[in-house]
PDB file of all heavy atoms in Angstrom:
ATOM      1  N   LEU V 739      15.605 -16.665 -32.198  1.00  0.00           N
ATOM      2  CA  LEU V 739      14.592 -16.158 -33.115  1.00  0.00           C
ATOM      3  C   LEU V 739      13.526 -15.362 -32.377  1.00  0.00           C
ATOM      4  O   LEU V 739      12.964 -14.423 -32.875  1.00  0.00           O
ATOM      5  CB  LEU V 739      13.913 -17.330 -33.830  1.00  0.00           C
ATOM      6  CG  LEU V 739      14.599 -17.809 -35.089  1.00  0.00           C
ATOM      7  CD1 LEU V 739      13.903 -19.066 -35.583  1.00  0.00           C
ATOM      8  CD2 LEU V 739      14.587 -16.734 -36.153  1.00  0.00           C
ATOM      9  N   GLU V 746      11.136   0.194 -24.421  1.00  0.00           N
ATOM     10  CA  GLU V 746       9.933   0.503 -23.654  1.00  0.00           C
ATOM     11  C   GLU V 746       9.379   1.866 -24.076  1.00  0.00           C
ATOM     12  O   GLU V 746      10.053   2.884 -23.945  1.00  0.00           O
ATOM     13  CB  GLU V 746      10.282   0.533 -22.167  1.00  0.00           C
ATOM     14  CG  GLU V 746       9.094   0.733 -21.261  1.00  0.00           C
ATOM     15  CD  GLU V 746       9.522   0.885 -19.815  1.00  0.00           C
ATOM     16  OE1 GLU V 746      10.397   1.714 -19.532  1.00  0.00           O
ATOM     17  OE2 GLU V 746       8.953   0.180 -18.960  1.00  0.00           O
ATOM     18  N   ASN V 749       2.575   3.538 -22.766  1.00  0.00           N
ATOM     19  CA  ASN V 749       1.300   3.677 -23.474  1.00  0.00           C
ATOM     20  C   ASN V 749       0.442   4.781 -22.886  1.00  0.00           C
ATOM     21  O   ASN V 749      -0.388   5.357 -23.579  1.00  0.00           O
ATOM     22  CB  ASN V 749       0.504   2.373 -23.365  1.00  0.00           C
ATOM     23  CG  ASN V 749       1.171   1.250 -24.129  1.00  0.00           C
ATOM     24  OD1 ASN V 749       1.925   1.503 -25.059  1.00  0.00           O
ATOM     25  ND2 ASN V 749       0.909   0.024 -23.735  1.00  0.00           N
ATOM     26  N   LEU V 752       3.442  10.463 -21.588  1.00  0.00           N
ATOM     27  CA  LEU V 752       4.382  11.005 -22.558  1.00  0.00           C
ATOM     28  C   LEU V 752       5.772  11.041 -21.927  1.00  0.00           C
ATOM     29  O   LEU V 752       5.905  11.051 -20.706  1.00  0.00           O
ATOM     30  CB  LEU V 752       3.976  12.416 -22.970  1.00  0.00           C
ATOM     31  CG  LEU V 752       2.574  12.572 -23.567  1.00  0.00           C
ATOM     32  CD1 LEU V 752       2.307  14.036 -23.900  1.00  0.00           C
ATOM     33  CD2 LEU V 752       2.440  11.717 -24.820  1.00  0.00           C
ATOM     34  N   ARG V 776      -1.494  26.432  -6.004  1.00  0.00           N
ATOM     35  CA  ARG V 776      -2.536  26.023  -5.059  1.00  0.00           C
ATOM     36  C   ARG V 776      -1.966  25.362  -3.808  1.00  0.00           C
ATOM     37  O   ARG V 776      -2.512  25.503  -2.723  1.00  0.00           O
ATOM     38  CB  ARG V 776      -3.505  25.043  -5.748  1.00  0.00           C
ATOM     39  CG  ARG V 776      -4.441  25.685  -6.738  1.00  0.00           C
ATOM     40  CD  ARG V 776      -5.515  24.708  -7.153  1.00  0.00           C
ATOM     41  NE  ARG V 776      -4.972  23.587  -7.891  1.00  0.00           N
ATOM     42  CZ  ARG V 776      -4.965  23.504  -9.226  1.00  0.00           C
ATOM     43  NH1 ARG V 776      -5.484  24.481  -9.963  1.00  0.00           N
ATOM     44  NH2 ARG V 776      -4.454  22.469  -9.824  1.00  0.00           N
ATOM     45  N   ASP V 804      -3.569  15.529  16.303  1.00  0.00           N
ATOM     46  CA  ASP V 804      -2.593  15.302  15.234  1.00  0.00           C
ATOM     47  C   ASP V 804      -1.145  15.406  15.696  1.00  0.00           C
ATOM     48  O   ASP V 804      -0.376  16.240  15.212  1.00  0.00           O
ATOM     49  CB  ASP V 804      -2.855  16.245  14.059  1.00  0.00           C
ATOM     50  CG  ASP V 804      -4.204  15.957  13.424  1.00  0.00           C
ATOM     51  OD1 ASP V 804      -4.686  14.827  13.577  1.00  0.00           O
ATOM     52  OD2 ASP V 804      -4.790  16.863  12.814  1.00  0.00           O
ATOM     53  N   ASN V 832       8.617  21.269   0.165  1.00  0.00           N
ATOM     54  CA  ASN V 832       8.380  20.506  -1.060  1.00  0.00           C
ATOM     55  C   ASN V 832       7.436  21.223  -2.019  1.00  0.00           C
ATOM     56  O   ASN V 832       7.646  21.201  -3.231  1.00  0.00           O
ATOM     57  CB  ASN V 832       7.801  19.128  -0.730  1.00  0.00           C
ATOM     58  CG  ASN V 832       8.866  18.138  -0.310  1.00  0.00           C
ATOM     59  OD1 ASN V 832      10.037  18.307  -0.649  1.00  0.00           O
ATOM     60  ND2 ASN V 832       8.476  17.119   0.430  1.00  0.00           N
ATOM     61  N   ALA V1013      -6.074  31.513  -9.034  1.00  0.00           N
ATOM     62  CA  ALA V1013      -7.410  31.352  -9.607  1.00  0.00           C
ATOM     63  C   ALA V1013      -7.965  30.001  -9.177  1.00  0.00           C
ATOM     64  O   ALA V1013      -7.292  28.970  -9.303  1.00  0.00           O
ATOM     65  CB  ALA V1013      -7.329  31.432 -11.125  1.00  0.00           C
ATOM     66  N   ARG V1083     -22.586  18.482  17.756  1.00  0.00           N
ATOM     67  CA  ARG V1083     -22.815  17.050  17.573  1.00  0.00           C
ATOM     68  C   ARG V1083     -23.359  16.356  18.811  1.00  0.00           C
ATOM     69  O   ARG V1083     -23.814  15.221  18.734  1.00  0.00           O
ATOM     70  CB  ARG V1083     -21.524  16.380  17.099  1.00  0.00           C
ATOM     71  CG  ARG V1083     -21.171  16.837  15.695  1.00  0.00           C
ATOM     72  CD  ARG V1083     -20.006  16.074  15.153  1.00  0.00           C
ATOM     73  NE  ARG V1083     -18.850  16.248  16.037  1.00  0.00           N
ATOM     74  CZ  ARG V1083     -17.685  15.641  15.848  1.00  0.00           C
ATOM     75  NH1 ARG V1083     -17.544  14.821  14.840  1.00  0.00           N
ATOM     76  NH2 ARG V1083     -16.691  15.848  16.668  1.00  0.00           N
ATOM     77  N   THR V1084     -23.287  17.024  19.942  1.00  0.00           N
ATOM     78  CA  THR V1084     -23.919  16.418  21.108  1.00  0.00           C
ATOM     79  C   THR V1084     -25.392  16.801  21.169  1.00  0.00           C
ATOM     80  O   THR V1084     -26.117  16.352  22.045  1.00  0.00           O
ATOM     81  CB  THR V1084     -23.229  16.860  22.412  1.00  0.00           C
ATOM     82  OG1 THR V1084     -23.393  18.284  22.550  1.00  0.00           O
ATOM     83  CG2 THR V1084     -21.758  16.523  22.414  1.00  0.00           C
ATOM     84  N   SER V1099      -8.094  21.205  25.268  1.00  0.00           N
ATOM     85  CA  SER V1099      -9.344  20.460  25.397  1.00  0.00           C
ATOM     86  C   SER V1099     -10.522  21.399  25.248  1.00  0.00           C
ATOM     87  O   SER V1099     -11.228  21.688  26.197  1.00  0.00           O
ATOM     88  CB  SER V1099      -9.371  19.758  26.767  1.00  0.00           C
ATOM     89  OG  SER V1099     -10.599  19.109  26.943  1.00  0.00           O
TER      90      SER V1099
ATOM     91  N   ARG J1272       7.283 -12.893 -34.622  1.00  0.00           N
ATOM     92  CA  ARG J1272       8.177 -13.961 -34.176  1.00  0.00           C
ATOM     93  C   ARG J1272       7.424 -15.108 -33.543  1.00  0.00           C
ATOM     94  O   ARG J1272       7.847 -16.249 -33.606  1.00  0.00           O
ATOM     95  CB  ARG J1272       9.212 -13.394 -33.214  1.00  0.00           C
ATOM     96  CG  ARG J1272      10.216 -12.572 -33.983  1.00  0.00           C
ATOM     97  CD  ARG J1272      11.403 -12.188 -33.180  1.00  0.00           C
ATOM     98  NE  ARG J1272      12.360 -11.498 -34.049  1.00  0.00           N
ATOM     99  CZ  ARG J1272      13.430 -10.915 -33.605  1.00  0.00           C
ATOM    100  NH1 ARG J1272      13.680 -10.899 -32.320  1.00  0.00           N
ATOM    101  NH2 ARG J1272      14.251 -10.320 -34.433  1.00  0.00           N
ATOM    102  N   SER J1576     -29.617  15.185  25.210  1.00  0.00           N
ATOM    103  CA  SER J1576     -29.770  14.825  23.799  1.00  0.00           C
ATOM    104  C   SER J1576     -29.528  13.343  23.535  1.00  0.00           C
ATOM    105  O   SER J1576     -29.621  12.892  22.400  1.00  0.00           O
ATOM    106  CB  SER J1576     -28.809  15.656  22.942  1.00  0.00           C
ATOM    107  OG  SER J1576     -27.484  15.389  23.309  1.00  0.00           O
ATOM    108  N   ASP J1708     -20.355  13.324  10.846  1.00  0.00           N
ATOM    109  CA  ASP J1708     -19.130  12.541  10.736  1.00  0.00           C
ATOM    110  C   ASP J1708     -19.323  11.093  11.161  1.00  0.00           C
ATOM    111  O   ASP J1708     -18.440  10.297  11.023  1.00  0.00           O
ATOM    112  CB  ASP J1708     -18.034  13.163  11.570  1.00  0.00           C
ATOM    113  CG  ASP J1708     -18.329  13.046  13.036  1.00  0.00           C
ATOM    114  OD1 ASP J1708     -19.515  13.150  13.401  1.00  0.00           O
ATOM    115  OD2 ASP J1708     -17.390  12.851  13.812  1.00  0.00           O
ATOM    116  N   TYR J1936       7.682   1.341 -16.940  1.00  0.00           N
ATOM    117  CA  TYR J1936       7.996   2.756 -17.207  1.00  0.00           C
ATOM    118  C   TYR J1936       8.604   3.423 -15.969  1.00  0.00           C
ATOM    119  O   TYR J1936       8.638   4.646 -15.861  1.00  0.00           O
ATOM    120  CB  TYR J1936       6.762   3.561 -17.649  1.00  0.00           C
ATOM    121  CG  TYR J1936       5.787   2.822 -18.556  1.00  0.00           C
ATOM    122  CD1 TYR J1936       4.424   2.961 -18.435  1.00  0.00           C
ATOM    123  CD2 TYR J1936       6.270   1.975 -19.545  1.00  0.00           C
ATOM    124  CE1 TYR J1936       3.541   2.283 -19.262  1.00  0.00           C
ATOM    125  CE2 TYR J1936       5.407   1.291 -20.379  1.00  0.00           C
ATOM    126  CZ  TYR J1936       4.035   1.439 -20.230  1.00  0.00           C
ATOM    127  OH  TYR J1936       3.175   0.769 -21.047  1.00  0.00           O
ATOM    128  N   PHE J1942       5.251  12.335 -18.407  1.00  0.00           N
ATOM    129  CA  PHE J1942       4.312  13.452 -18.357  1.00  0.00           C
ATOM    130  C   PHE J1942       2.896  12.922 -18.513  1.00  0.00           C
ATOM    131  O   PHE J1942       2.627  12.102 -19.377  1.00  0.00           O
ATOM    132  CB  PHE J1942       4.580  14.447 -19.488  1.00  0.00           C
ATOM    133  CG  PHE J1942       5.907  15.131 -19.380  1.00  0.00           C
ATOM    134  CD1 PHE J1942       7.013  14.658 -20.061  1.00  0.00           C
ATOM    135  CD2 PHE J1942       6.049  16.271 -18.598  1.00  0.00           C
ATOM    136  CE1 PHE J1942       8.250  15.287 -19.966  1.00  0.00           C
ATOM    137  CE2 PHE J1942       7.275  16.913 -18.488  1.00  0.00           C
ATOM    138  CZ  PHE J1942       8.376  16.414 -19.172  1.00  0.00           C
ATOM    139  N   GLY J1947      -4.958  17.146 -11.192  1.00  0.00           N
ATOM    140  CA  GLY J1947      -4.459  18.117 -10.216  1.00  0.00           C
ATOM    141  C   GLY J1947      -3.534  19.150 -10.822  1.00  0.00           C
ATOM    142  O   GLY J1947      -3.102  20.081 -10.144  1.00  0.00           O
ATOM    143  N   GLN J2013      15.624  18.579  -3.290  1.00  0.00           N
ATOM    144  CA  GLN J2013      14.781  19.544  -4.007  1.00  0.00           C
ATOM    145  C   GLN J2013      15.676  20.580  -4.702  1.00  0.00           C
ATOM    146  O   GLN J2013      16.767  20.826  -4.255  1.00  0.00           O
ATOM    147  CB  GLN J2013      13.853  20.223  -3.005  1.00  0.00           C
ATOM    148  CG  GLN J2013      12.806  19.295  -2.429  1.00  0.00           C
ATOM    149  CD  GLN J2013      11.729  18.944  -3.435  1.00  0.00           C
ATOM    150  OE1 GLN J2013      11.740  19.413  -4.564  1.00  0.00           O
ATOM    151  NE2 GLN J2013      10.806  18.092  -3.025  1.00  0.00           N
ATOM    152  N   GLY J2080      -7.418  12.791  14.645  1.00  0.00           N
ATOM    153  CA  GLY J2080      -6.472  13.409  15.561  1.00  0.00           C
ATOM    154  C   GLY J2080      -5.090  12.796  15.513  1.00  0.00           C
ATOM    155  O   GLY J2080      -4.254  13.082  16.354  1.00  0.00           O
ATOM    156  N   LYS J2188     -16.852  13.819  24.196  1.00  0.00           N
ATOM    157  CA  LYS J2188     -17.041  15.255  23.946  1.00  0.00           C
ATOM    158  C   LYS J2188     -17.530  15.506  22.522  1.00  0.00           C
ATOM    159  O   LYS J2188     -17.994  16.595  22.204  1.00  0.00           O
ATOM    160  CB  LYS J2188     -15.730  16.015  24.176  1.00  0.00           C
ATOM    161  CG  LYS J2188     -15.245  15.933  25.612  1.00  0.00           C
ATOM    162  CD  LYS J2188     -14.059  16.821  25.842  1.00  0.00           C
ATOM    163  CE  LYS J2188     -14.474  18.068  26.593  1.00  0.00           C
ATOM    164  NZ  LYS J2188     -13.337  18.945  26.877  1.00  0.00           N
ATOM    165  N   GLN J2189     -17.343  14.530  21.670  1.00  0.00           N
ATOM    166  CA  GLN J2189     -17.831  14.656  20.294  1.00  0.00           C
ATOM    167  C   GLN J2189     -19.026  13.741  20.072  1.00  0.00           C
ATOM    168  O   GLN J2189     -19.396  13.472  18.922  1.00  0.00           O
ATOM    169  CB  GLN J2189     -16.731  14.284  19.311  1.00  0.00           C
ATOM    170  CG  GLN J2189     -15.470  15.101  19.487  1.00  0.00           C
ATOM    171  CD  GLN J2189     -14.400  14.668  18.516  1.00  0.00           C
ATOM    172  OE1 GLN J2189     -14.555  14.854  17.316  1.00  0.00           O
ATOM    173  NE2 GLN J2189     -13.343  14.082  19.007  1.00  0.00           N
TER     174      GLN J2189
END
Side-chain angles (χ1 to χ4, degrees):
Chain V
L739 273 173
E746 185 185 51
N749 292 336
L752 302 179
R776 286 191 294 262
D804 296 337
N832 279 337
R1083 292 187 302 177
T1084 63
S1099 176
Chain J
R1272 287 191 175 172
S1576 62
D1708 68 324
Y1936 322 141
F1942 295 96
Q2013 292 288 358
K2188 297 187 104 178
Q2189 304 178 67

